[in-house]
Amino acid sequence: MFSISHLNTIRAAEIEVIAAQLQPAGARVLEIGAGTGQQAAALSARGYDMVAIEMPTSNYAADRVFPIVDFDGSHIPFPDHSFDIVFSSNVLEHVPNLVQMHSEIRRVLKPGGYALHVLPTHSWRFWTTLSAFPAGLQYAWTLEEQLFPRRPISLDDLKRAVVAWYNAGKHVLAPFKQTRHGERGNIFSETWLFRPGWWRKNFRDNRFDIVDEAPIGLFYTGNMVFNEKWSIERRRRVSHVLGSACHMFKLKPRVS
């Protein structure tokens, strides 16, 4: 089940890896698709001059913890050569027009600047698809007391039980109706489209050279089956076996 506190814990662990790649200290950084702004706030606390942008329709608009500039998802609302670094985390897979976004990133980067993108992997897609089944059962189990009311059963108890059985059934069957996570393909083809190799080609086709790349080194799924029950250290260990949920790319605009 979704938990924003668990998501914040995951993103905080990721930022430890990301921050090590951000040079120079105190650089002016633009975060695209900042969500709640949690990672922007964490980088700001480390001394970076952070600017964060996000669409006003974001699911996290009500939970913002950092000043965020609204934008239309296509046009970055800043002048040319404004930033030393452009950063995104789990964003590019949601961008319909990647050519446009890459062009905008190149435009706002200062000469010598670079982009740093964190993206979900094929491992994340695979385990997210599978984990939807235990996640549905897990949710149904939370309704146990409502599913089997104590006797004597009142009319109100019976109504609550009917609603509970409906909600439980809906979540148990939900894994059979899963939809894609990003803007391309479906839940099956995303296992191919989320491969780091697919992104390498996309970056190169859009005139970026890959300076460095590495797995973030955390295992988690989009269904949060274990939530806080699994520590960050355990997720690091498991990632060596089941794969990292995200991969990080450091890119330089190609000079042509």
Side-chain angles (χ1 to χ4, degrees):
M1 293 178 292
F2 179 76
S3 163
I4 197 164
S5 65
H6 173 58
L7 179 64
N8 287 340
T9 299
I10 293 291
R11 296 292 180 251
E14 287 179 343
I15 213 68
E16 296 295 330
V17 179
I18 293 161
Q21 295 293 323
L22 298 182
Q23 299 293 334
R28 183 167 172 77
V29 181
L30 171 68
E31 182 179 5
I32 298 173
T36 65
Q38 183 214 8
Q39 290 189 316
L43 291 173
S44 179
R46 286 169 166 79
Y48 294 98
D49 181 10
M50 291 298 303
V51 176
I53 61 176
E54 178 60 276
M55 296 176 65
T57 54
S58 164
N59 292 333
Y60 307 108
D63 300 297
R64 291 178 175 178
V65 297
F66 187 82
I68 292 176
V69 176
D70 288 331
F71 86 124
D72 63 6
S74 298
H75 303 91
I76 296 175
F78 295 99
D80 297 358
H81 313 310
S82 294
F83 299 97
D84 300 300
I85 303 166
V86 172
F87 162 62
S88 78
S89 174
N90 295 272
V91 168
L92 291 188
E93 73 275 16
H94 297 293
V95 175
N97 190 339
L98 285 170
V99 173
Q100 165 74 14
M101 181 57 70
H102 288 315
S103 176
E104 282 289 278
I105 290 171
R106 289 195 304 271
R107 180 182 66 78
V108 299
L109 278 173
K110 295 178 181 179
Y114 63 89
L116 191 73
H117 299 298
V118 177
L119 292 153
T121 64
H122 54 299
S123 296
W124 178 90
R125 176 67 271 179
F126 176 76
W127 292 112
T128 292
T129 301
L130 289 188
S131 66
F133 292 91
L137 292 172
Q138 182 184 37
Y139 177 84
W141 183 252
T142 66
L143 301 174
E144 180 188 13
E145 290 187 4
Q146 299 175 50
L147 294 172
F148 304 102
R150 297 174 181 174
R151 296 179 180 277
I153 301 175
S154 67
L155 181 60
D156 287 341
D157 287 337
L158 186 59
K159 289 178 180 178
R160 279 194 293 269
V162 170
V163 172
W165 276 100
Y166 172 78
N167 288 331
K170 185 169 65 174
H171 281 80
V172 169
L173 294 175
F176 296 99
K177 300 189 295 181
Q178 293 182 68
T179 59
R180 68 186 184 188
H181 174 73
E183 285 293 324
R184 284 159 286 280
N186 54 51
I187 64 168
F188 302 108
S189 61
E190 277 186 339
T191 306
W192 174 264
L193 296 170
F194 283 7
R195 293 180 311 112
W198 190 93
W199 286 106
R200 289 184 197 109
K201 184 178 185 304
N202 180 267
F203 294 140
R204 289 166 180 151
D205 288 348
N206 285 279
R207 297 168 47 213
F208 281 96
D209 291 323
I210 300 170
V211 177
D212 196 10
E213 63 172 288
I216 289 291
L218 286 174
F219 172 81
Y220 59 89
T221 76
N223 293 304
M224 301 187 178
V225 176
F226 297 110
N227 283 345
E228 289 87 355
K229 294 178 182 177
W230 277 22
S231 67
I232 292 299
E233 183 53 39
R234 185 174 191 178
R235 293 180 183 280
R236 289 194 178 104
R237 293 197 304 269
V238 172
S239 74
H240 295 301
V241 179
L242 301 183
S244 174
C246 289
H247 199 83
M248 177 173 57
F249 292 92
K250 186 175 183 178
L251 313 172
K252 284 270 192 179
R254 187 176 305 143
V255 178
S256 56

